[in-house]
Amino acid sequence: MNVTAVMIMLQHRHGAAAIAVYFLARTAAPYLFSRPVVSAMPPRLIGSAWASSQATLALLMLGLALFNQNDALLVILLAVAGVLQSATAAWLMHIAEVTSQDDRKALITAISTGTSVAIVVGPALGGILSSWGGLLSVFAFDSATFAASLLLVPWSGLPASLRQQAAQWSAAQLLLRALIPVKPHMNAWVWPLAAVWIAFGLFGGLLTAIETPVFATLKGFSPDQIGAAISAYGLGGLVIFLASTLFGFSNGYLSTSAVAVTGVLAWTLGANWLLYPAFFVTGLGFALVNSAARVAFAEVFARSNVQTSEAWAWVNQLSLFTSVTSYLTAWIYFSLGDNLHLISGAVVALGFTCLAFGVLWDVASKQRATTAVTGHVQKAAASEVQ
């Protein structure tokens, strides 16, 4: 929830470049350091580590509620909080896996539902609290939620049979392990798919970096209106989440990026009343693209001689690369100038480029599938003749 409030504050005090730096810190720090933190923790201590991290986050948010005048220190501490939140998310899933059979399904459902609801409610609530009581009310609310989670999650008394010994790594080895690129041995189709994934990542990253400046400067939105608009984006993603969870929906076409491009185009050129539905459509489109890309990666990995976990780690590293690149690009751009119309046009153009990539991928995938079917038919016919 504090993400929206801090974005609005940084836009007001320092402009768009500060928002890009903030997202860069919030993205890079968890990817670089959360994996070493998680790997270093023995499984027998995971429950206690999760609880300690939640308590630390509660105290950290309370401190930021009272002392948030230094913006540079604020960004650094929120980056540290991002590392802890990323680590606790992994530990929470471990806790869910080792709880009793009766509690497991309910806890995992609660985790998934809570995340989806937070995407929708968080930005709007952050904008409203920011308008009402500034960062004090935002961070105080966050502190209370972290403290309350200690009472809701069964983090103590994990089964002893699941407390296997963790691999021993030094801090330096763990950090180096997080930085080393994963190079899975996969078939040639993975490289064009990776290019498509990077293009979409840059599209989404740049959109994230400019959305608050555009809302605040070009559209004249108030903090609560910005929060509501970002919530509309999250609502689009929630629709896809519910469709996949409740009805087994799965999208296999990257050309559905046309939905996201349409939403961004309407957001850039449309009147203010159109911005909420435009951002909903944008969120819907990015959720469809994310689903299609993950389906495509899964199909490629299934035909490759590689460990699935390592392959997905490689995809996550691609995501890190695109996030860092997009936020760094936005920071450099806004440091040199503040022409929001120009960079908005560039984001729209990048969206159409992604759409072209998506269409090409879908056409090539269809041809590959047709070729495979034809080959099986010919082999079957040859076997019958023999």
Side-chain angles (χ1 to χ4, degrees):
M1 185 182 65
N2 62 59
V3 173
T4 303
V6 173
M7 283 185 348
I8 294 169
M9 180 273 293
L10 290 174
Q11 170 66 28
H12 177 70
R13 294 182 184 177
H14 305 287
I19 296 177
V21 172
Y22 170 56
F23 275 117
L24 185 61
R26 285 296 298 253
T27 302
Y31 272 102
L32 292 178
F33 298 108
S34 63
R35 184 177 170 191
V37 169
V38 170
S39 299
M41 188 59 57
R44 61 187 178 84
L45 298 178
I46 283 178
S48 299
W50 179 86
S52 299
S53 296
Q54 292 297 100
T56 301
L57 285 166
L59 292 174
L60 180 59
M61 293 300 120
L62 183 60
L64 289 176
L66 300 174
F67 308 101
N68 52 61
Q69 290 75 28
N70 189 316
D71 295 343
L73 181 60
L74 175 66
V75 171
I76 292 172
L77 291 177
L78 287 175
V80 173
V83 175
L84 287 177
Q85 287 176 277
S86 180
T88 55
W91 289 331
L92 186 58
M93 290 307 300
H94 176 87
I95 292 171
E97 287 296 328
V98 300
T99 51
S100 65
Q101 185 69 29
D102 294 336
D103 295 335
R104 184 180 307 163
K105 185 176 180 180
L107 183 55
I108 292 177
T109 301
I111 293 169
S112 301
T113 304
T115 301
S116 301
V117 171
I119 293 173
V120 179
V121 177
L125 188 57
I128 293 170
L129 287 176
S130 178
S131 299
W132 174 64
L135 293 181
L136 169 63
S137 59
V138 172
F139 286 120
F141 187 90
D142 276 344
S143 177
T145 58
F146 285 123
S149 67
L150 292 170
L151 304 175
L152 300 176
V153 175
W155 55 269
S156 61
L158 300 182
S161 61
L162 296 171
R163 295 176 178 174
Q164 70 274 15
Q165 291 295 319
Q168 298 299 312
W169 297 79
S170 69
Q173 286 174 318
L174 285 167
L175 180 58
L176 184 62
R177 183 181 173 210
L179 292 169
I180 293 175
V182 179
K183 296 180 180 179
H185 299 286
M186 292 179 284
N187 63 46
W189 280 91
V190 74
W191 303 115
L193 181 58
V196 174
W197 183 251
I198 289 173
F200 278 114
L202 293 173
F203 179 34
L206 286 174
L207 177 62
T208 301
I210 71 169
E211 61 187 13
T212 298
V214 169
F215 276 126
T217 304
L218 296 185
K219 308 299 183 181
F221 270 36
S222 64
D224 55 330
Q225 287 176 313
I226 295 175
I230 297 175
S231 291
Y233 178 97
L235 183 60
L238 181 61
V239 168
I240 301 302
F241 169 80
L242 292 176
S244 61
T245 302
L246 300 178
F247 306 107
F249 171 79
S250 178
N251 177 46
Y253 298 97
L254 285 171
S255 54
T256 52
S257 56
V259 177
V261 175
T262 300
V264 172
L265 191 61
W267 172 70
T268 305
L269 303 177
N272 281 12
W273 65 268
L274 189 61
L275 300 185
Y276 296 107
F279 238 45
F280 169 79
V281 171
T282 302
L284 193 71
F286 271 101
L288 288 170
V289 168
N290 185 64
S291 174
R294 291 184 180 279
V295 168
F297 273 119
E299 291 175 351
V300 171
F301 296 158
R303 297 191 300 272
S304 305
N305 183 23
V306 63
Q307 275 192 333
T308 303
S309 60
E310 288 298 302
W312 283 111
W314 178 71
V315 173
N316 288 336
Q317 287 179 327
L318 289 181
S319 300
L320 169 62
F321 170 77
T322 58
S323 297
V324 171
T325 301
S326 56
Y327 298 145
L328 187 60
T329 300
W331 171 64
I332 293 172
Y333 178 85
F334 287 124
S335 297
L336 298 176
D338 58 355
N339 191 330
L340 288 171
H341 293 288
L342 180 60
I343 194 169
S344 297
V347 170
V348 172
L350 182 57
F352 278 105
T353 302
C354 291
L355 174 58
F357 284 167
V359 170
L360 290 174
W361 173 265
D362 288 346
V363 171
S365 297
K366 185 176 181 180
Q367 290 178 343
R368 181 186 61 191
T370 302
T371 302
V373 171
T374 302
H376 286 305
V377 171
Q378 291 176 342
K379 287 182 180 179
S383 299
E384 291 179 1
V385 170
Q386 293 176 354

